[in-house]
Amino acid sequence: MKRLLAFLLLAAVIGLTLPGTASARLPYQTTYFDKNQSVWIKIQELYKPKAAYGGMFGEPVDLTVGSDDKVYVADKGNDAIYVLDNDGNLIKTIGDEEGPGSLSSPEGVFVTPEGQIYVADSGNQRIAVFAADGTFAREYKKPETDLLATEHFVPIKLVVDRRGVMYIDMNSSYQGLVRISPEGEFMGYFGANKAPQSLLNWLKKLILNKQQLAKEDANLPRPIANVSIDDDGFIYTSTGGDFGKAAIRKLNAGGIDGFKGRDFQHSQGIVDVAIDSNGFMYNVDQDFGRVNIFDRTGDVLFAFGFTDVGTQQKGVFGFPTSVGIDSKNNIWVADSGTKTVHKFYRTEFGNDVMNALTLYYDGKYEESKPYWEHVYSRNELFNGTYEGLGKVYLEEQNNDKALDFMKEAFDTKGYSQAFWEIRLDWLQNNFLGLIGGLVALYLLLRYIPRGVRKLTQRRPVPEKLNRPLAELRNFFYVMFHPYEGFYRLKEARVSPWIMALLLVSVLIMKIMTVYWTGFLFHPVLLQFIDIYRELELFVLPWVTWIIANYLVCSIKDGEGKFREVIQGSTYALAPYLVFSVPILILSNVLSLDEKVLIGSLTSLMYLWMAVMFFVMTQVIHNFEFVETIKNSLITVFTIATIWLFGFIIFGLSYNLYDFIYQLYKEVSLYR
């Protein structure tokens, strides 16, 4: 027994000393934004960390990648510009120890295609220019102009266009970029952000006089955080705040924003943007701590990366400050928090995805097909693949397959195009049959009622069914003659089973619209439909209306009884039952180009229902017209109050239940 115990103890000690299982999993996820469903979805890595280069940097605050793929890093802490080769090896350091070539807290760097190095030498309040070999060439001080007389010339970022014109971002300047010619002359401000407008500011301008407005804080535009330039000469500005609104602007020579001030996701804390040769944008955002990839129009595609202020791991940021991309599609990120420069390389999956997207956006759908197929073989859950292949099949006129792929991608626009082609083919092959069917349907709708009337004249309906049939006919009569129909209901006592039948019919129609509405007008997967939730959102407002209407109108001396309010509110649902049938049919035969018809019918249905509820309130409670308007508005307010109290009571009840449940678990655990 002692030997057995000794053996087990020895085995346990050996097991504890063995190394654990190694894991190559990244400490963050790569996600894809599905714009058709407006959700972020996990995806395999497009980029992986290659290396983190450090040991030489004091505070890297900016970087740019030259046309030769060398990486130029502005180090504010060491008063130097470091030049790295594409493998991260230090080639040289720019910035003399003393003399005109010495730098002081440089915050920006830009390299021209010819290799000239422009430095935003913030501490020396100048732009310093160095030759390709690193020797000092010249400097640009504050230009002589009255427009800059009161401004501090503290450049922090800059770019240079093909003409040699400098676009300089000044420290905390709200007037935009400063343009300086190659000769050092001031050429004006460029690309200032718009001042944020608010209702409060508008009211101040409307109410306050000039003296009072002068004492108010000026409503100034937000300062630009960074500036970039692409191969076509467009100027990109990065501006944080305002939840990503106009975070990235693409300015032409006239300063017009090609993105029109649109919102950018994950750009509240944007510090920089880089543009690759295909027009894709890569931004780094300090608030989200991620690198985000946008398409040419500004729609976000992917996000990756992670921020940890205490990180010691490559690929994890401490305080990212700048981003660049080289000709090999490697992403470089300057990180002043960890005093490193991170390099990320594109994976095979990433190459296939980005190549497919490039060809897709260029309209080369057939050429993008093999890339999409490679992506599809690696990830069947990536909806971008279905959208891309769907477009390919659409171009190949394989409309049935395109329809299936567009549906998988929830791309209603592409689905509509494929559906339109399929419908056109069907109409061309079945036009005469369709006309014959419509004529037959018209004849049936016209002559069946006549036949029913003649049949009832010959064989009268049993007397016990006269009342139920009259109550059912009145359901549709009320829809077209609301005042007279509701007067009939005022003193009538509708059979409970008729009321139940009408309500069940409405609920069945609601279920049919949820499950059978065409995909174009209800783009959801049927297995994900929560029918109980759908019915709750449909029934609860109706029930709340009945309660609120009866309570309010009773206080306002209304004559309606609770039973009459229930009856009237049930019969007021007639437009929903009538209009839902053609809307349901049309949703399965129309494309998005004809959606105005469904939209018009839906609006007419809800407007008709609103009129029905209004007339019901007026007739059942015997109100005047103006009095009905007032009481209807009070009823709507009461409904909102009931819902508010309902949410409060539900929240408190849930908290009480959770407290009791947690207490029970604690007692059970330590019993």
Side-chain angles (χ1 to χ4, degrees):
M1 188 67 181
K2 292 181 179 180
R3 291 181 179 178
L4 179 61
L5 290 175
F7 176 78
L8 293 176
L9 181 60
L10 179 62
V13 171
I14 294 174
L16 290 173
T17 58
L18 291 176
T21 303
S23 175
R25 181 178 178 270
L26 293 178
Y28 53 81
Q29 294 180 349
T30 298
T31 52
Y32 158 68
F33 185 73
D34 188 342
K35 64 181 180 180
N36 296 323
Q37 302 182 77
S38 298
V39 294
W40 285 94
I41 302 172
K42 181 182 176 182
I43 195 174
Q44 60 254 60
E45 297 84 0
L46 272 74
Y47 278 89
K48 287 185 177 182
K50 179 71 172 180
Y53 307 106
M56 68 191 85
F57 304 116
E59 187 182 356
V61 294
D62 192 33
L63 66 76
T64 187
V65 181
S67 57
D68 54 0
D69 280 346
K70 294 177 182 177
V71 181
Y72 298 76
V73 182
D75 192 324
K76 184 178 179 180
N78 290 334
D79 299 330
I81 304 297
Y82 292 96
V83 184
L84 312 179
D85 65 15
N86 203 253
D87 293 322
N89 300 311
L90 179 64
I91 299 176
K92 59 177 174 283
T93 302
I94 296 175
D96 300 333
E97 292 186 3
E98 57 183 19
S102 64
L103 301 175
S104 176
S105 300
E107 296 189 46
V109 60
F110 181 82
V111 182
T112 66
E114 296 76 26
Q116 282 196 322
I117 304 155
Y118 287 72
V119 180
D121 193 6
S122 306
N124 290 322
Q125 299 185 19
R126 65 171 183 168
I127 301 298
V129 183
F130 296 85
D133 60 0
T135 59
F136 178 75
R138 61 188 179 278
E139 67 178 8
Y140 295 94
K141 290 282 191 177
K142 183 167 82 169
E144 295 293 334
T145 174
D146 294 338
L147 294 176
L148 292 175
T150 59
E151 296 290 331
H152 293 289
F153 190 75
V154 184
I156 56 173
K157 310 293 179 187
L158 82 160
V159 294
V160 183
D161 67 13
R162 297 166 184 165
R163 303 167 298 168
V165 175
M166 292 167 280
Y167 294 78
I168 304 170
D169 184 17
M170 307 295 290
N171 184 34
S172 301
S173 175
Y174 62 87
Q175 295 178 327
L177 304 173
V178 174
R179 287 198 300 177
I180 298 180
S181 71
E183 293 76 28
E185 297 178 353
F186 177 69
M187 300 177 63
Y189 287 103
F190 180 83
N193 289 314
K194 293 182 179 180
Q197 301 297 325
S198 65
L199 178 60
L200 180 60
N201 291 330
W202 180 79
L203 290 174
K204 286 180 179 180
K205 292 179 181 180
L206 189 66
I207 298 173
L208 302 180
N209 55 37
K210 292 183 179 180
Q211 292 76 16
Q212 292 171 325
L213 285 174
K215 297 178 181 179
E216 293 287 323
D217 292 333
N219 184 29
L220 301 176
R222 289 171 293 145
I224 294 171
N226 213 324
V227 59
S228 309
I229 190 170
D230 67 10
D231 295 339
D232 296 323
F234 286 98
I235 304 295
Y236 294 74
T237 63
S238 304
T239 307
D242 204 10
F243 303 100
K245 183 174 179 58
I248 302 174
R249 295 186 302 145
K250 181 181 180 181
L251 307 176
N252 61 15
I256 305 300
D257 179 18
F259 295 141
K260 300 180 181 179
R262 64 165 297 170
D263 295 344
F264 284 81
Q265 291 205 34
H266 289 188
S267 299
Q268 164 74 11
I270 185 174
V271 292
D272 196 11
V273 61
I275 306 93
D276 68 14
S277 58
N278 293 314
F280 292 95
M281 296 177 291
Y282 304 74
N283 91 341
V284 61
D285 185 274
Q286 290 179 347
D287 281 12
F288 289 92
R290 311 194 77 187
V291 174
N292 307 288
I293 305 175
F294 298 85
D295 67 13
R296 302 166 184 174
T297 64
D299 288 332
V300 66
L301 296 173
F302 308 100
F304 68 92
F306 180 69
T307 297
D308 183 359
V309 293
T311 182
Q312 297 293 326
Q313 187 171 2
K314 68 179 182 181
V316 178
F317 308 128
F319 192 79
T321 53
S322 184
V323 62
I325 186 164
D326 61 30
S327 63
K328 301 174 184 176
N329 298 311
N330 298 310
I331 296 177
W332 299 78
V333 179
D335 185 355
S336 63
T338 60
K339 301 180 181 181
T340 57
V341 170
H342 300 269
K343 179 181 180 181
F344 298 85
Y345 72 95
R346 187 181 287 179
T347 63
E348 290 187 17
F349 177 75
N351 281 327
D352 286 335
V353 170
M354 299 304 292
N355 287 332
L357 287 172
T358 299
L359 294 170
Y360 176 82
Y361 292 142
D362 289 339
K364 301 175 181 178
Y365 304 117
E366 188 62 34
E367 295 179 34
S368 71
K369 185 176 181 179
Y371 292 105
W372 285 127
E373 289 175 341
H374 290 163
V375 175
Y376 183 69
S377 66
R378 290 188 175 97
N379 189 340
E380 296 182 1
L381 301 179
F382 178 42
N383 281 350
T385 308
Y386 293 98
E387 190 171 345
L389 285 175
K391 196 70 174 180
V392 171
Y393 294 132
L394 194 61
E395 291 295 316
E396 294 176 350
Q397 296 185 347
N398 189 348
N399 297 314
D400 291 328
K401 204 165 185 178
L403 196 73
D404 294 336
F405 274 75
M406 292 299 186
K407 187 174 183 178
E408 287 289 339
F410 291 89
D411 182 3
T412 53
K413 185 177 180 180
Y415 185 95
S416 179
Q417 293 175 346
F419 178 78
W420 191 89
E421 295 289 346
I422 293 173
R423 189 184 64 179
L424 179 62
D425 292 339
W426 188 90
L427 288 174
Q428 290 174 343
N429 296 326
N430 301 276
F431 183 74
L432 294 178
L434 176 63
I435 295 299
L438 292 175
V439 171
L441 179 63
Y442 169 76
L443 295 175
L444 287 173
L445 293 176
R446 181 171 183 178
Y447 291 106
I448 283 181
R450 295 183 182 181
V452 172
R453 284 195 294 269
K454 291 181 179 179
L455 182 62
T456 54
Q457 288 175 359
R458 295 176 182 175
R459 297 183 178 181
V461 177
E463 187 174 348
K464 63 180 181 179
L465 294 180
N466 286 334
R467 180 185 172 187
L469 290 175
E471 292 171 345
L472 289 174
R473 285 194 297 268
N474 196 39
F475 183 73
F476 299 100
Y477 181 84
V478 168
M479 179 176 170
F480 299 100
H481 306 86
Y483 278 98
E484 185 177 349
F486 284 119
Y487 272 117
R488 292 182 182 179
L489 287 173
K490 183 172 174 58
E491 298 298 335
R493 183 181 292 273
V494 180
S495 303
W497 71 272
I498 291 293
M499 292 282 293
L501 178 62
L502 295 175
L503 291 174
V504 169
S505 300
V506 172
L507 291 179
I508 291 175
M509 180 55 67
K510 174 62 180 177
I511 295 172
M512 291 172 62
T513 58
V514 170
Y515 282 102
W516 292 353
T517 298
F519 175 78
L520 284 175
F521 303 95
H522 191 214
V524 296
L525 294 177
L526 298 184
Q527 59 266 34
F528 294 134
I529 292 177
D530 186 352
I531 189 60
Y532 298 105
R533 180 72 171 173
E534 296 284 347
L535 292 178
E536 283 177 7
L537 295 176
F538 183 75
V539 172
L540 284 179
W542 180 78
V543 173
T544 313
W545 160 267
I546 293 174
I547 296 172
N549 182 270
Y550 176 73
L551 292 176
V552 170
C553 294
S554 296
I555 296 173
K556 296 292 184 178
D557 297 326
E559 298 179 1
K561 301 176 183 178
F562 189 65
R563 171 180 51 80
E564 295 171 348
V565 174
I566 296 176
Q567 291 178 174
S569 298
T570 301
Y571 276 68
L573 296 173
Y576 180 83
L577 197 61
V578 172
F579 277 89
S580 291
V581 175
I583 291 174
L584 185 61
I585 295 173
L586 291 174
S587 71
N588 287 278
V589 298
L590 298 182
S591 67
L592 286 182
D593 294 332
E594 300 123 2
K595 67 179 180 180
V596 64
L597 180 58
I598 289 182
S600 299
L601 285 175
T602 303
S603 300
L604 180 60
M605 177 184 73
Y606 285 114
L607 180 62
W608 204 317
M609 287 175 62
V611 171
M612 294 282 286
F613 280 103
F614 178 84
V615 174
M616 182 274 293
T617 301
Q618 183 180 5
V619 172
I620 295 297
H621 296 287
N622 197 20
F623 287 145
E624 297 292 336
F625 185 80
V626 176
E627 191 178 10
T628 305
I629 295 176
K630 294 179 181 179
N631 292 333
S632 296
L633 294 175
I634 296 173
T635 300
V636 173
F637 176 77
T638 305
I639 291 173
T641 304
I642 292 174
W643 278 70
L644 176 61
F645 276 99
F647 281 123
I648 293 174
I649 293 172
F650 174 79
L652 293 175
S653 301
Y654 178 79
N655 288 335
L656 179 61
Y657 161 77
D658 186 63
F659 170 75
I660 296 174
Y661 178 69
Q662 295 297 335
L663 184 62
Y664 165 75
K665 283 177 42 177
E666 186 173 350
V667 172
S668 300
L669 183 62
Y670 295 102
R671 183 174 53 187

